[in-house]
Amino acid sequence: MATRQTQSLAKIMRAPAIILLLIWMIVPLGMTLYYSFLNYNLLNPTQTSWAGWFNYQYFYTDPAFWDSIWNTLILVLGVLCITVVGGILIALLIDKPIFGQGIVRILVISPFFVMPPVAALIWKNMIMHPSYGVFADVAQFLGMAPVDWFAQYPLFSIILIVAWQWLPFATLILLTALQSLDGEQMEAAEMDGASALSRFIYLTLPHMSRAITVVILIQTIFLLSIYAEILVTTNGGPGNASTNLTYLIYRAARLNFDIGGAAAGGIIAVVLANIVAIFLMRAVGKNLD
Amino acid sequence: MGAITLQNVRKSFGDVEVIPGVDLEINEGEFVVFVGPSGCGKSTLLRLIAGLEDVTSGRILIDGQDVTDAGPAKRGLAMVFQSYALYPHMSVRKNIAFPLKMAKMPEAEQKARVDRAAKILNLDSYLDRRPGQLSGGQRQRVAIGRAIVREPAAFLFDEPLSNLDAALRVNMRVEISDLHNKLKTTMIYVTHDQVEAMTMADKIVVLRAGRIEQVGSPLDLYNSPANRFVGGFIGSPNMNFIEGEAARRMGAHSIGVRPEHWRMSTTEGAFPGTVGVAEHLGSDTLLHVELDSGENVIARAEGEFPVHHGDKIWLTPQDGRVYKFREDGLAA
Ligand SMILES: Nc1ncnc2c1ncn2[C@@H]1O[C@H](COP(=O)(O)OP(=O)(O)O)[C@@H](O)[C@H]1O
Ligand SMILES: [Mg+2]
């Protein structure tokens, strides 16, 4: 797109897609914004009235609000840490030529194809259940008391489940990055006297930085809106211990039928997502240049 | 420091035997060039010496010490790769300092060595750039810089100039020779280009299919090739081979005459022929001649030689400049 002519042509060609996307985004956002200023309850849907900032005030003063913000951030960060570190380690492992490589790779990737509620239910009833879960069996075998994961460590349990689901994605992206690493560079470093650890720190990690950034950014988008896993396991409890912002909004809308309040929560979630996005782009965005 | 000995070194990749057995003595301070056609195992041999590949059998000694089982870092050798293999995320300075940093050398000493190398290689003004911002020749120099700061026992070069354009190649050739004169460190240099071999080497090792065909100084190889392969490989343009009746008369299966060893005449001589293409280069003239006996040969005359396409010409080998080869290719 070197010349001015091709540039304006390109703009025209791009326009329909961009306009469609814009409408797709603007309409729901606008409606949410509009509802967030209304008194609008599904128990009494005909009686709507202008609410001003009341919905925001109401949502903000909800005792669960700050808990949910923290839970959201911890959930995102926890899953990111586990998937990035775990993804790098698994990618390093399955990058080596091993027996049955193809099968191993498919196995590693398969959790990604399990739907979130199904995965969460399997974890809840077959793995982490205090009486017939695998973890309980292991604990008993080791002579320890079984842990009631969802009661004792609700947020951590959810982080574990979500991380399990996203690990394949991270592994896959990081593995492709790893495979594009130049072998001669590694050999040069080996001759330069770099240990395996130094080679990892000085060559492999910088080489993967772009892929790591992509993993972080894409996952953050989805992790901010985790919902199904919470719904089928802890229902946000005990108390608010595993309620994130998305789940709080769900509670407002579907349990209290408060559309106005939920919409206000939605707008707050958008703001939070943008703050996180700005923060992330500052921190890792330069890797994408 | 820097004498390398290979004792019956063999290397197979699976069932494929790439190096069927090499014995070689490289003296301290020598500039040794491995030359041979593409795929003959030059890189493999170099990587065996570097320790990047394990030998299948045989021994490798550096300064009398058996390093056959030592890792690449332990051998004290530095290698310049064909792709340069610079670290793309580090500045030129960090690239060159990397081996020193890995050796945990004090910062000040690192800096001094990098600066010295940069001066030798004219890299002073690029030290803060990334490799991606350098030209091919500059990258090549950075790769060499990274090798020399370590003060290795020997340098290994794997076709270091093949990614450069022709003019730069000539420059870098001279620079590397200069560097060798300055450092007086053993250098092993791999190339498929016999001109590089002839111009740079103290000792040339001609390889074919993983075997050493001949070892010797450039002029040794030029003047007395051990076999037909070496005769044809060394020298440019290639040696002309004539088989059949003419060779039999001289008591050989085939004879070889270098293009520059023909006497040419437009009236009489041993081999009559017809001029095909005549390349008038000014400094000399290359004639592609089709002999009446059927062979195509090249003859080179110094300065100008006024013949053109289709002219009749007689070629006569200069006295004592005919190489005779037996049926098995060895020099007779
Ligand atoms: N890692 C390897 N695995 C299998 N075959 C190899 C490997 N490396 C080189 N070879 C084979 O060994 C032969 C010599 O290769 P190489 O040493 O790279 O040749 P050169 O550098 O002289 O062009 C080639 O036929 C090549 O296919
Ligand atoms: Mg090679």
Side-chain angles (χ1 to χ4, degrees), chain B residues 38-39 42-44 82 158-159 190:
Chain B
S38 195
K42 308 178 294 287
S43 299
T44 306
Q82 184 174 356
D158 191 355
E159 310 221 11
V190 162

Side-chain angles (χ1 to χ4, degrees), chain B residues 202-216:
Chain B
D202 295 324
K203 180 151 102 187
I204 298 182
V205 178
V206 183
L207 290 165
R208 176 167 61 159
R211 280 176 216 282
I212 294 184
E213 294 285 311
Q214 191 173 1
V215 179

Side-chain angles (χ1 to χ4, degrees), chain B residues 277-290:
Chain B
V277 175
E279 298 175 314
H280 297 276
L281 300 172
S283 61
D284 44 26
T285 309
L286 285 183
L287 302 179
H288 297 250
V289 176
E290 184 178 357

Side-chain angles (χ1 to χ4, degrees), chain A residues 116-242:
Chain A
V118 176
L121 283 174
I122 289 174
W123 276 84
K124 179 185 180 184
N125 295 316
M126 298 176 71
I127 300 179
M128 298 170 111
H129 196 280
S131 41
Y132 28 79
V134 175
F135 285 180
D137 290 347
V138 172
Q140 239 150 19
F141 178 76
L142 295 174
M144 294 184 298
V147 178
D148 186 357
W149 290 92
F150 291 105
Q152 287 173 277
Y153 310 104
L155 193 56
F156 175 74
S157 306
I158 287 170
I159 289 176
L160 209 60
I161 295 171
V162 176
W164 179 80
Q165 288 186 302
W166 281 95
L167 200 53
F169 172 77
T171 306
L172 210 57
I173 302 262
L174 296 171
L175 180 64
T176 26
L178 205 57
Q179 286 173 335
S180 69
L181 183 56
D182 176 23
E184 281 200 345
Q185 263 175 47
M186 277 297 174
E187 290 180 341
E190 210 177 324
M191 294 209 64
D192 282 345
S195 64
L197 184 64
S198 305
R199 291 202 294 276
F200 176 74
I201 293 172
Y202 292 107
L203 294 186
T204 313
L205 265 191
H207 176 79
M208 291 207 293
S209 62
R210 182 189 291 245
I212 293 174
T213 309
V214 168
V215 167
I216 290 178
L217 292 180
I218 292 182
Q219 285 198 20
T220 304
I221 295 171
F222 289 94
L223 296 179
L224 280 169
S225 56
I226 292 290
Y227 152 78
E229 291 85 341
I230 300 176
L231 180 73
V232 300
T233 54
T234 62
N235 259 312
N240 294 321
S242 59

Side-chain angles (χ1 to χ4, degrees), chain B residues 248-310:
Chain B
R248 261 197 300 283
R249 251 186 284 127
M250 296 192 175
H253 176 259
S254 62
I255 55 169
V257 182
R258 294 193 185 281
E260 54 272 35
H261 294 157
W262 291 114
R263 278 190 284 120
M264 297 175 219
S265 157
T266 49
T267 52
E268 52 163 23
F271 297 96
T274 314
V275 177
V277 175
E279 298 175 314
H280 297 276
L281 300 172
S283 61
D284 44 26
T285 309
L286 285 183
L287 302 179
H288 297 250
V289 176
E290 184 178 357
L291 298 183
D292 290 355
S293 51
E295 282 99 348
N296 285 303
V297 300
I298 299 179
R300 176 163 146 199
E302 273 189 27
E304 288 174 32
F305 192 78
V307 290
H308 295 281
H309 180 79

Side-chain angles (χ1 to χ4, degrees), chain A residues 182 184-185 187-194 198 202-203 206-207, chain B residues 47 72-73 77 79 81 83 86-89 99 101-102 146 150:
Chain A
D182 176 23
E184 281 200 345
Q185 263 175 47
E187 290 180 341
E190 210 177 324
M191 294 209 64
D192 282 345
S198 305
Y202 292 107
L203 294 186
H207 176 79
Chain B
R47 292 165 58 81
L77 308 175
M79 182 144 165
F81 291 83
S83 68
L86 300 178
Y87 311 129
H89 310 279
K101 183 169 171 178
M102 290 301 110
R146 192 173 64 189
R150 290 174 53 196

